[in-house]
Amino acid sequence: MAAHIRRRLRKGATTTAVAAAAVAALAASQAPAATLADGPAGGGDPKAAGEDTASTEDDGAATGNSPYYTDLPPLVTPDKPGSSSNLPVTGSAEAGIPASILAAYKQAEQTVATTDPACRLPWQLLAAIGKVESGQARGGRVDTNGTTTSPILGPALNGQGFALIKDTDGGAYDSDAVHDRAVGPMQFIPSTWASWGQDANGDGRKDPNNIYDAALAAGRYLCANDRDLAIAADLDKAVLSYNRSTEYLRTVRSWFSYYQRGTHEIPDGTGRLPTTPSIPSGSTPSPNPGTPSPGTTPSPKPSPSKPGGKPTPGPSKPGDGSTSPTPKPPTSKPTPAETFGSLENAGTGPLRATAGQAFDERVAVLARNALGAPLGKVSVTFTITGNTGTLFAGGKKTVTVRTGADGTATAPELRAGEKAGEFTVTAVAGTGRPRTLTYAATVTARQADTIARTDEKALVAAPGEKFADAVTVKATYKDAAAAGVAVTATMVKDPLGLFDNDKGPYFKDAAGKPVRTLTTLTTDAEGMLRLPEIFADGTEGTYLLRLTTEGGASVVIELTIQAPEETAPEGTTPEETAPKETETPEA
């Protein structure tokens, strides 16, 4: 990093004192907002950032470790923390991001957020990599579809100071049928693009020269291996998987920190072109490196390590094909198409069922791979949490199902328990950093749409006595007996039950005290309910008993309290028992 800083400062410094002051100012202003993961502050061992310069979690780098631009952000950084989403179109071209390029980064962030939310990809990281790789597509020189007006090609990876990567695409992307070159605004080598390429602008093509396609591919690539980019160590690993260089990581980190503090949109084609490409160790830079021309191949020559000694190639980078030190043999790892990326709802509707019944809906999930396509053979564990007594068919609270070829896994049928209430079904898939979905579900009490007496006999009792005949009703639901339905019985003054009655018939509680409402009644297996005994107080009249069920069914029953009529003694007639008139003596 110090070498790059000195190269940049020499252009404007006329004395040693001025240069020293500028270095001090630059060092004071360039500290990234998020520190390197447990790593040294100044270009130390990349292992401290979770990477090994000879081997990392990925066998190859996305760019083939091609050259990148080492220009650093302006000394004066924006003082608008967290406000980089909606800043006005102001500021220098060097600090701004061309409109189409910025839109592509933000679209990629939103797309990845829907398919792999656990990755937490920030668009500012894509902007930092885009700045370092291509100067934001050469200052935003793209057409209306986001495709560069001319190809952006890195040098041939022919082993001369760079990686040795023989042609993998027949020159289809890089116009080189001998060696591969990094292609497009995000500088993918063809072999990496073959696995990670995307069609983000919907034109039916996966084009590495299109900023929308390339930005989404870069986002998915950075999120691979279950990375969470909000964690510093994971972000460092992601950047190093793009180019296996600690200096590259620090340069990207500098721009990432800068863009996090604020940036602004500028018109396409007006961005400032970078001027300082990285140079492999041992090569001789030109007096004024400038920007490599598209399709040209710099040919730095290896310099000897000692006078008369053997040439020493550029610095070894993991996966770059160099021979010093000898890279580890490639290991077999899942391709992006085989890597689990996200878990989504596969169209599960509202989960509601009556107690004791089966749910109409079944919980279904969709697993996607790192490219956003459906992924089969993913184990998904479904778990019921709650105290409603609900279980999966077969009587289990936890089941595991593998996704099919269409990426979907459907849990067994849910059977509601007898207790009304809410519960959850949780779906979990993946290891290391599992993806989780939670579904809310409800069990409602058993219902009836009709309730009626089983006979029509008048219900009469004398004051202070109990009703001799019991009240029996039957509840039905859709013409079938409604078993286990809760019924409420209330003495009321009006048929609608708007006013409770505190006189007339009553029930007795467990202590023998009068009560005029019962809420603990339930129909039996045949939908039948026989009410407890009903008693009459001393107030004569006709009263109403209202029964209601879950589901809204109701019935109103008349109860009468009246004294019995007097009856004549046996063997007499009414005339004999009637009072006789008293005769008045004659005067």
Side-chain angles (χ1 to χ4, degrees), residues 402-428:
R402 291 170 68 95
T403 60
D406 61 353
T408 62
T410 303
E413 181 182 67
L414 286 165
R415 298 200 66 85
E418 290 299 332
K419 185 176 180 180
E422 296 181 349
F423 67 96
T424 60
V425 179
T426 303
V428 180

Side-chain angles (χ1 to χ4, degrees), residues 262-310:
T263 186
H264 57 277
E265 178 183 298
I266 60 176
D268 287 349
T270 64
R272 181 174 299 178
L273 296 177
T275 59
T276 312
S278 63
I279 303 295
S281 176
S283 63
T284 304
S286 62
N288 184 13
T291 304
S293 301
T296 61
T297 304
S299 300
K301 297 179 180 180
S303 60
S305 56
K306 294 181 180 179
K310 293 182 179 181

Side-chain angles (χ1 to χ4, degrees), residues 194-215:
S195 297
W196 292 92
Q198 302 287 303
D199 175 20
N201 65 349
D203 65 356
R205 298 179 59 225
K206 297 178 180 179
D207 185 359
N209 293 296
N210 182 276
I211 186 58
Y212 291 95
D213 294 357

Side-chain angles (χ1 to χ4, degrees), residues 213-263:
D213 294 357
L216 181 56
R220 296 200 188 283
Y221 183 89
L222 293 168
C223 288
N225 298 302
D226 287 340
R227 296 188 188 109
D228 180 352
L229 300 183
I231 298 174
D234 278 7
L235 188 143
D236 290 349
K237 290 178 181 179
V239 175
L240 286 169
S241 75
Y242 218 86
N243 188 307
R244 303 294 175 79
S245 160
T246 304
E247 293 298 325
Y248 179 85
L249 171 62
R250 296 189 181 283
T251 306
V252 170
R253 274 287 200 170
S254 295
W255 281 105
F256 177 52
S257 174
Y258 182 83
Y259 288 138
Q260 280 185 312
R261 291 183 58 81
T263 186

